[in-house]
Amino acid sequence: MISFTVTAVVFGVVFLAELPDKTALAGLVLGTRYRASYVFAGVAAAFALHVALAVAAGSVLTLLPQQIVQALTGVLFLGGAAVLLLKKDEGDEEIRRPEDQSFWKVAGAGFMLILVAEFGDLTQIMTANLAARYDDPLSVGLGAVLALWAVAGLGIVGGKALMKRVPLKIVTKVAALLMLGLGLWSLWEALNPPPS
């Protein structure tokens, strides 16, 4: 059974954390050079693989005692908030252009770019934390993959217009504050367990 609440919370947190990320800019660059549907197919497949790995890692964490998991996820969320608040603006990265515009070449380029760029990325770690926190792998996975696909879609078809209207600094600060709140809440729960 999918929890709409968990899916919505995960979607919001992952969406805001991924929006200012370099992969949104990479999707924008690929989308301006190649057919958007081909780029999205490759990018979406890579994000789905990353979410599956993150949810599996988070599910393993649920085997630990609940207080340890809450403390660990709290610390990781606080670390993620610090990373977002302290990260410097990155320029556009050079993206290798496939020789032809075939589906497999373009989708493959998008898949490989995201596969490499997102491995161990903040949103992958965050997804694992959320999977451990909520112990609901299906809802967490659905929320995370939909958020990543939404950011990829925005980046591919309309990223430039969005970035003109919403400054990246604001999006980054909102994502950091959400992570800070989740981190503090997790630590509070770890230090104040409910009576048995």
Side-chain angles (χ1 to χ4, degrees):
M1 191 86 182
I2 293 174
S3 165
F4 178 74
T5 304
V6 171
T7 301
V9 167
V10 172
F11 179 91
V13 170
V14 172
F15 182 86
L16 287 171
E18 186 65 20
L19 198 56
D21 196 60
K22 63 186 175 295
T23 52
L25 297 175
L28 171 65
V29 172
L30 283 172
T32 60
R33 294 182 182 182
Y34 308 112
R35 181 182 243 167
S37 60
Y38 291 4
V39 174
F40 185 78
V43 168
F47 276 135
L49 178 59
H50 275 291
V51 168
L53 293 172
V55 168
S59 295
V60 169
L61 288 175
T62 61
L63 300 175
L64 297 172
Q66 188 64 22
Q67 276 187 280
I68 292 173
V69 171
Q70 288 172 333
L72 182 61
T73 57
V75 168
L76 289 172
F77 273 127
L78 292 176
V83 166
L84 281 178
L85 289 171
L86 300 174
K87 89 176 194 176
K88 304 208 184 298
D89 292 335
E90 299 172 0
D92 291 345
E93 294 182 5
E94 186 60 35
I95 297 168
R96 217 177 91 170
R97 184 180 180 125
E99 278 98 41
D100 64 49
Q101 296 276 330
S102 73
F103 172 80
W104 293 111
K105 292 280 187 183
V106 173
F111 180 84
M112 290 309 295
L113 175 72
I114 298 303
L115 190 67
V116 172
E118 287 291 301
F119 202 78
D121 191 59
L122 178 63
T123 50
Q124 190 178 33
I125 294 167
M126 226 168 45
T127 301
N129 290 341
L130 290 163
R133 173 162 184 64
Y134 290 111
D135 195 15
D136 186 353
L138 193 56
S139 299
V140 170
L142 181 62
V145 83
L146 289 176
L148 293 169
W149 287 356
V151 170
L154 284 172
I156 291 167
V157 294
K160 196 177 270 186
L162 178 68
M163 296 307 166
K164 283 182 183 174
R165 296 176 193 270
V166 181
L168 282 178
K169 287 182 180 181
I170 291 175
V171 174
T172 301
K173 288 198 187 317
V174 169
L177 289 174
L178 280 172
M179 291 179 69
L180 181 65
L182 285 169
L184 292 173
W185 184 25
S186 294
L187 288 175
W188 184 83
E189 286 184 335
L191 297 172
N192 300 296
S196 301

